[in-house]
Amino acid sequence: MKIKENYSLKKLNTFNIDVSAKYFIAVKTENEILKLINDESLTTEKKVILGGGSNILFTKDFDGIIIKNEIPGIEIIEESNGDVLVKAGGGVVWDDFVSYAVENGFGGVENLTYIPGTVGAAPIQNIGAYGVEQQDVFHSAEALFLKDGIKKTFNKDESKFGYRSSVFKSAYRNKLIITSVIYRLTKNPIPNISYRALASEFENRDVKSITIKEINDTVKNIRKSKLPEPSVIGNAGSFFKNPEINKFRFDRLKKEYKDIVYYKIDDNTIKIPAGWLIEKCKFKGRKFGNTGTYKNQALVIVNYGDATGEEIVEFSRKIQHAVYEKFNIDIRPEVNII
C-alpha cells in the first residue's frame, strides 16, 4: 500500500478531466483501509471514495485524499434450489459481476449490463437500467467507516434506496467505503422486458422462451448504439436524472406534445426521460466549445478532448435552463460534481 502525492486523476475518471489529487491510494483489502484510517498524518484530510470514476465530474484539483476501491473477489456464499447469494468485492468491475451472473445462469442483473463502475458504487447510486434497479436484487452490503474503522452490515431497509439515491449517497456520503455487496439472484429467472425498447425487440417472442443471455446481449447492443465509449469520447453516461411529474402536469404536456415519451410509476406519478426533454430543446448533438451532447443520445454530455469540469458544469446549466424554460420541469444531475 503506497500513498502517492499530486497524483493525476485524468485516467481515473471517464470524463477524462485533467485534475490531480493531493494524495491518492488504491486499497485492495480491509486491512489496508484500516491502516489508512489509523494513519494520523491523514486524519484531517478530506476524503473521496473512487470506484470506476464513471459517475463523477471533477471541477478542480482535489485538496485531500482519493481512495480507490480495488477490493476483488466473487463467491457464492449460500445456495438453494431457487436462489443463490453471491458476494462481490467492492472493487469488482460491475459488468464483470453481471457477466459472471449471466454465465452461471443466475438471473436478476442481466438488464444492468454495460453500466460502467464498480460493485461498491452500485448501491450508492442505486444504479438502474431497462426496467431494473440494483435494489431489486440487493441483499446487504458491508462497509467500513472512515472515521473509526467500525464495520457495519447494511440490509436493504437500512440502505434507504430511492431513484438514483441511497443512504450511502446522502447521510454517509464519503464517510464509509463499501467493501463488499451480497446480491440475491435466481436460478429460475423470469425475463424482465417491461422497458419499451426491450419489449419491442422481443414483441413476437414468448417471454418464457427468452434467456437472460439474450436479454443481456440485447441491452448491451442497445446501450452501445446510444452511448459513446469513454476511451474514445470522455463522458459519464447519463448526466441527468429522469424527472417525475404528477399526472395533472403530464396530461397538460401530452395535449401539447402528442409524441411525449413517458413511463408510468403509479396512478399519479409519471417519469419523463430527460433525454427526450433535452432533445425537444434542440440540444441533441450540439457542441459548445470543448463540450456538448452526444449525437446519438441527448442525455449524455461529452468531453471532446480539452474540456474542463467547469465548462461541462456551465454547459449542463444551459441545458437545465432551456428545459425549465420550455417545460417548467427541473432536471437534476445524476453525476456527482466535485
Side-chain angles (χ1 to χ4, degrees):
M1 183 181 79
K2 183 178 180 181
I3 297 175
K4 301 175 181 179
E5 297 184 33
N6 300 317
Y7 192 78
S8 173
L9 300 174
K10 185 173 183 178
K11 294 183 179 180
L12 296 176
N13 71 94
T14 59
F15 259 121
N16 302 323
I17 302 299
D18 191 9
V19 293
S20 297
K22 182 180 180 181
Y23 298 112
F24 173 85
I25 185 169
V27 293
K28 293 180 171 62
T29 67
E30 290 187 3
N31 284 337
E32 288 183 345
I33 299 171
L34 292 173
K35 185 177 180 181
L36 174 66
I37 291 170
N38 293 324
D39 188 333
E40 294 183 359
S41 67
L42 300 172
T43 302
T44 60
E45 296 290 346
K46 293 183 293 184
K47 299 176 178 67
V48 163
I49 312 303
L50 189 67
S54 57
N55 197 51
I56 194 168
L57 174 61
F58 289 103
T59 59
K60 58 185 176 181
D61 290 340
F62 184 69
D63 185 25
I65 182 166
I66 296 288
I67 305 170
K68 189 171 190 306
N69 187 345
E70 293 186 350
I71 298 174
I74 301 177
E75 62 177 324
I76 295 172
I77 61 171
E78 188 178 309
E79 195 169 359
S80 67
N81 290 332
D83 294 338
V84 57
L85 293 182
V86 182
K87 180 178 181 180
V92 172
V93 173
W94 174 259
D95 211 39
D96 289 349
F97 173 69
V98 174
S99 295
Y100 168 89
V102 172
E103 288 168 6
N104 284 277
F106 304 150
V109 292
E110 59 275 4
N111 293 49
L112 301 178
T113 189
Y114 209 62
I115 296 177
T118 59
V119 168
I124 297 173
Q125 189 72 3
N126 188 26
I127 60 172
Y130 294 86
V132 175
E133 290 183 326
Q134 73 85 45
Q135 68 170 322
D136 299 333
V137 289
F138 178 91
H139 176 273
S140 59
E142 290 184 335
L144 288 176
F145 282 88
L146 297 177
K147 183 177 181 180
D148 49 24
I150 290 178
K151 186 174 184 177
K152 176 175 171 57
T153 299
F154 290 85
N155 61 31
K156 188 172 181 177
D157 288 340
E158 292 171 315
S159 301
K160 297 181 181 178
F161 292 121
Y163 174 54
R164 301 299 176 269
S165 67
S166 68
V167 71
F168 311 113
K169 189 175 181 179
S170 54
Y172 296 132
R173 182 174 183 149
N174 288 317
K175 293 182 179 179
L176 52 72
I177 182 167
I178 295 176
T179 56
S180 65
V181 184
I182 297 175
Y183 287 105
R184 183 182 295 279
L185 306 178
T186 178
K187 294 181 179 180
N188 304 301
I190 299 175
N192 183 335
I193 57 171
S194 60
Y195 197 82
R196 190 170 299 167
L198 279 181
S200 64
E201 288 286 337
F202 294 102
E203 62 181 347
N204 297 317
R205 290 280 301 277
D206 179 358
V207 174
K208 294 180 181 179
S209 72
I210 303 170
T211 67
I212 58 174
K213 179 67 164 58
E214 289 179 295
I215 295 287
N216 183 264
D217 290 344
T218 301
V219 170
K220 188 171 293 188
N221 289 336
I222 293 173
R223 289 181 68 85
K224 283 183 176 181
S225 70
K226 291 183 177 182
L227 306 175
E229 283 283 353
S231 59
V232 179
I233 304 176
N235 74 94
S238 300
F239 194 92
F240 297 102
K241 299 177 184 179
N242 294 321
E244 296 178 356
I245 61 175
N246 62 42
K247 190 175 184 303
F248 175 76
R249 292 184 64 194
F250 169 73
D251 288 340
R252 292 181 64 184
L253 271 179
K254 195 173 182 180
K255 286 181 181 179
E256 186 173 355
Y257 300 96
K258 306 297 184 183
D259 63 336
I260 189 169
V261 180
Y262 64 94
Y263 303 96
K264 184 178 178 181
I265 304 300
D266 55 42
D267 289 341
N268 193 47
T269 309
I270 309 295
K271 181 181 291 186
I272 310 296
W276 183 87
L277 296 169
I278 296 168
E279 189 169 343
K280 282 294 180 181
C281 292
K282 303 186 184 305
F283 268 84
K284 184 177 180 180
R286 289 181 67 178
K287 185 177 180 180
F288 284 76
N290 295 309
T291 188
T293 52
Y294 188 53
K295 62 179 182 178
N296 295 339
Q297 175 52 270
L299 189 55
V300 178
I301 295 178
V302 299
N303 175 5
Y304 285 109
D306 298 309
T308 64
E310 290 94 335
E311 283 181 277
I312 292 173
V313 169
E314 182 181 356
F315 177 57
S316 72
R317 288 173 178 161
K318 290 180 184 293
I319 294 174
Q320 287 177 294
H321 179 74
V323 170
Y324 189 80
E325 285 291 302
K326 188 175 185 67
F327 296 102
N328 195 29
I329 293 177
D330 183 25
I331 57 172
R332 298 182 180 182
E334 180 177 323
V335 171
N336 296 303
I337 301 172
I338 294 179

